[in-house]
């Protein structure tokens, strides 16, 4: 399983970006999987941004609720993160991640995701 992110960049505060993650060899058809976006800023731990279960259930970190939207295109095997009203504190390396096996709900935290992309940098200037 390979995950490849794209769409990062540099924007001013209040701007928008759309991240994409193509998941090759990852089965979007079967149920019981979870995909997510995580981020890690310099000197900080990796944190969950948003997750989406195969049944469509989503979960967001409080700080991004109302600003970010996670979605997936099963046919394109692609995960998205639409980010609006970006803030300087959103600056980080963003990673997409996927679970293995059958998951009835998305794991809490990064430890439950064995598949990871290389990351895409998002920089928000004030």
């Amino acid at each position: 399983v390979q995950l490849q992110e794209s769409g990062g960049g540099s924007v001013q505060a209040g701007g928008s970006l759309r991240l994409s993650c193509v998941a090759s060899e990852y089965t979007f058809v079967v149920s019981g999987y979870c995909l997510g976006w995580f981020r890690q800023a310099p000197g900080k731990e990796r944190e969950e941004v948003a997750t989406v279960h195969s049944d469509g259930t989503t979960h967001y970190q409080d700080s991004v609720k109302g600003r970010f939207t996670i979605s997936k295109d099963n046919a394109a095997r692609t995960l998205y993160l639409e980010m609006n009203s970006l803030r300087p504190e959103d600056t980080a390396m963003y990673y997409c991640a996927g679970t293995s096996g059958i998951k009835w709900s998305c794991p809490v935290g990064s430890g439950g995701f064995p598949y990871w992309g290389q990351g895409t940098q998002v920089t928000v200037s004030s």
Side-chain angles (χ1 to χ4, degrees), residues 36-117:
W37 287 98
F38 293 77
R39 66 187 181 187
Q40 187 167 19
K44 295 187 177 181
E45 294 186 356
R46 188 171 296 187
E47 62 179 6
E48 176 190 305
V49 176
T51 60
V52 59
H53 192 264
S54 53
D55 65 4
T57 303
T58 58
H59 180 268
Y60 295 90
Q61 181 194 106
D62 286 346
S63 69
V64 307
K65 285 181 180 177
R67 300 188 298 123
F68 291 11
T69 303
I70 188 170
S71 62
K72 58 184 177 69
D73 182 331
N74 292 347
R77 294 186 176 183
T78 303
L79 178 71
Y80 301 101
L81 184 68
E82 186 74 36
M83 304 186 295
N84 298 312
S85 301
L86 282 162
R87 305 167 180 170
E89 53 264 38
D90 294 319
T91 295
M93 185 70 80
Y94 283 70
Y95 301 88
C96 69
T99 58
S100 63
I102 302 297
K103 297 292 186 290
W104 300 116
S105 63
C106 286
V108 176
S110 61
F113 293 80
Y115 303 120
W116 290 86

Side-chain angles (χ1 to χ4, degrees), residues 21-30 33 35 71-80:
C21 173
V22 178
S24 62
E25 302 179 29
Y26 197 91
T27 303
F28 276 55
V29 177
V30 299
Y33 67 84
L35 296 167
S71 62
K72 58 184 177 69
D73 182 331
N74 292 347
R77 294 186 176 183
T78 303
L79 178 71
Y80 301 101

